[in-house]
Amino acid sequence: MEFNEFKSKIYKQFGLNLDGYKEKQLKRRIDSLMQTLQLNDYGLYFQTLVKDAEQLNRFFDKVTINVSEFFRNPEIFAVLEQQVLPALLRKKPRLKIWSAACSNGCEPYSVAIILDELAPTGLHKIDATDIDRKILEVAREGKYDSRLLKNVSPERLGKYFQKEGEQYRLIDRVKRKVAFKYHDLLVDKYDTDYDLIICRNVTIYFTAEMQEKLYVNFYHALGPGGVLFIGATENMLKYREFGYEKISPWFYQKP
């Protein structure tokens, strides 16, 4: 089976659209999974994924890149906390926020913690979406290893987490602030009127054409004055063409 046919079958069988991913990187990750099973045929690997739930979960984990931690790149999150969110809150007491490709939930929960301190009485709406249903269950549970909390201050750790053995569980009051759901950035419709969209270290895995499409889609999903927050590994070179204004490195605003 050719690689393109494999991608087509994956989409038909599991609803995962791989066409927007950079092919060389994608193929390298899939080939490494096949090597662990001593397979060299995409057809045989596809049949394995159909029959073996454990291998399918490994496939989703590898392809969708579930890497996240609380307050990832703390110096950039400081800009969000000290400049971007306060500016948005001065205009609207209740914010609508989307954490796109949220992975294990560390990112939207980090925002929820910041808002709990900046505007604790605000009935903010935080949507968090991902293409991996398994990782969404991890996010909903809100239980994390200490290595994912290295950027959480001792004060916040004591205030917002409860130690359970070797892990830490986020308190329910913060967990309730985030609504997790399945969403495929490449094929599903986007909601609108967001004040803040966070999509970090995700578009680097997509083709240049798909990156531009996503940035345009995010623009239309933002409300007036809304801000797009991208990852430290990303750079939106054509932001003016898409309609954004750059307000800080990694932060782009819709006028």
Side-chain angles (χ1 to χ4, degrees):
M1 180 185 291
E2 294 294 326
F3 189 61
N4 284 337
E5 184 181 356
F6 172 79
K7 290 194 298 181
S8 177
K9 283 184 171 292
I10 288 292
Y11 182 51
K12 290 177 182 177
Q13 182 73 27
F14 305 113
L16 177 61
N17 186 348
L18 299 175
D19 284 338
Y21 288 75
K22 292 177 180 176
E23 184 161 310
K24 185 179 291 187
Q25 294 179 5
L26 176 67
K27 195 171 183 295
R28 188 187 312 124
R29 293 198 296 272
I30 293 174
D31 287 351
S32 71
L33 287 170
M34 291 171 58
Q35 287 172 11
T36 64
L37 299 173
Q38 297 183 322
L39 295 175
N40 57 11
D41 180 82
Y42 292 113
L44 292 176
Y45 184 51
F46 175 76
Q47 292 302 322
T48 300
L49 297 179
V50 172
K51 298 173 183 177
D52 191 326
E54 181 180 349
Q55 292 301 324
L56 180 62
N57 285 332
R58 289 187 63 199
F59 172 77
F60 267 85
D61 285 344
K62 188 82 168 181
V63 170
T64 56
I65 316 296
N66 290 314
V67 178
S68 189
E69 63 188 22
F70 280 84
F71 303 99
R72 186 178 184 182
N73 308 117
E75 70 285 355
I76 302 177
F77 254 90
V79 176
L80 178 70
E81 179 176 354
Q82 298 168 16
Q83 300 177 32
V84 176
L85 282 173
L88 292 173
L89 287 166
R90 283 193 290 270
K91 297 177 182 178
K92 287 181 64 177
R94 181 184 182 186
L95 299 180
K96 182 179 180 183
I97 296 170
W98 178 19
S99 173
C102 67
S103 185
N104 58 14
C106 291
E107 179 180 271
Y109 284 143
S110 296
V111 176
I113 287 172
I114 292 172
L115 285 176
D116 188 71
E117 295 177 343
L118 292 179
T121 60
L123 298 176
H124 310 292
K125 177 178 172 59
I126 304 177
D127 295 327
T129 66
D130 202 274
I131 197 172
D132 187 336
R133 299 183 192 275
K134 180 184 174 185
I135 205 68
L136 286 172
E137 290 303 313
V138 173
R140 291 187 183 100
E141 185 180 12
K143 193 174 180 180
Y144 300 97
D145 294 336
S146 59
R147 62 186 173 82
L148 301 181
L149 305 172
K150 63 183 181 181
N151 298 319
V152 178
S153 68
E155 294 77 16
R156 282 175 169 167
L157 190 65
K159 182 178 180 181
Y160 294 109
F161 295 87
Q162 298 170 338
K163 198 169 190 306
E164 295 185 359
E166 297 300 313
Q167 293 187 305
Y168 291 82
R169 183 182 295 277
L170 191 67
I171 62 173
D172 289 341
R173 179 166 58 83
V174 174
K175 284 169 61 176
R176 287 194 294 266
K177 296 178 183 292
V178 183
F180 292 96
K181 62 182 178 180
Y182 172 89
H183 182 270
D184 186 338
L185 287 170
L186 303 188
V187 297
D188 292 334
K189 290 182 62 176
Y190 291 22
D191 200 357
T192 56
D193 295 321
Y194 284 107
D195 301 295
L196 174 68
I197 296 177
I198 309 167
C199 187
R200 307 183 67 216
N201 308 306
V202 175
T203 64
I204 53 172
Y205 299 106
F206 297 137
T207 63
E209 180 183 4
M210 186 55 64
Q211 288 177 16
E212 293 185 5
K213 180 180 178 181
L214 290 180
Y215 289 140
V216 170
N217 287 345
F218 286 140
Y219 180 87
H220 292 302
L222 288 166
V227 174
L228 173 64
F229 177 17
I230 66 173
T233 59
E234 296 162 323
N235 192 3
M236 196 195 319
L237 297 175
K238 298 181 180 179
Y239 67 90
R240 291 189 182 90
E241 292 182 30
F242 303 146
Y244 294 97
E245 296 176 354
K246 188 173 184 177
I247 58 175
S248 183
W250 305 292
F251 292 92
Y252 299 84
Q253 190 165 39
K254 179 178 181 177

